[in-house]
Amino acid sequence: MSKDIGGVAVRVLEREYVIAAGDEQRGAVLASADYLNERLRELRRGGRVVGNDRLLVLVALNIVHELLQERAAREAQGAAIDRLTALEKRLTAALGTLESAPHSG
């Protein structure tokens, strides 16, 4: 059974684009377009960028930079969790040997 994929119309820099997306993706596509437009407006307000092509490239580079920073942070967080998990296992094992050791008294 094939899914029928329709289109979602979005506006970016006063131009309309139709993006192929199913119903379950519609909200994400619209949210992405809203985010892109907000970032474009922010950069345009700075007044230093001339031309829509240049504006789009700069915003795309900024967004990709943010994405890569988030990925690096997530990887670092994952590594820290792995280290903490290993430490917890070592501590649990050490406590287990202390509890099973005969007490002198």
Side-chain angles (χ1 to χ4, degrees):
M1 187 184 303
S2 65
K3 272 190 170 177
D4 188 26
I5 296 189
V8 178
V10 297
R11 290 192 70 77
V12 176
L13 291 175
E14 293 82 40
R15 287 190 61 191
E16 185 169 294
Y17 299 89
V18 177
I19 308 299
D23 289 340
E24 68 280 353
Q25 297 168 321
R26 180 179 175 78
V29 170
L30 292 172
S32 297
D34 288 343
Y35 182 75
L36 177 59
N37 278 313
E38 179 56 34
R39 296 296 302 271
L40 288 165
R41 280 190 291 274
E42 287 173 10
L43 195 57
R44 195 179 257 172
R45 275 192 292 259
R48 295 180 290 170
V49 180
V50 179
N52 285 347
D53 290 346
R54 184 168 174 78
L55 187 65
L56 280 168
V57 168
L58 290 174
V59 168
L61 286 171
N62 285 336
I63 291 171
V64 169
H65 177 70
E66 289 173 10
L67 172 66
L68 294 176
Q69 285 181 317
E70 288 295 322
R71 282 185 181 172
R74 186 174 302 148
E75 287 174 9
Q77 186 179 34
I81 289 170
D82 290 345
R83 287 191 305 273
L84 288 172
T85 301
L87 181 59
E88 178 187 26
K89 287 178 183 177
R90 287 177 60 198
L91 288 171
T92 301
L95 287 173
T97 59
L98 288 176
E99 289 172 357
S100 63
H103 296 295
S104 60

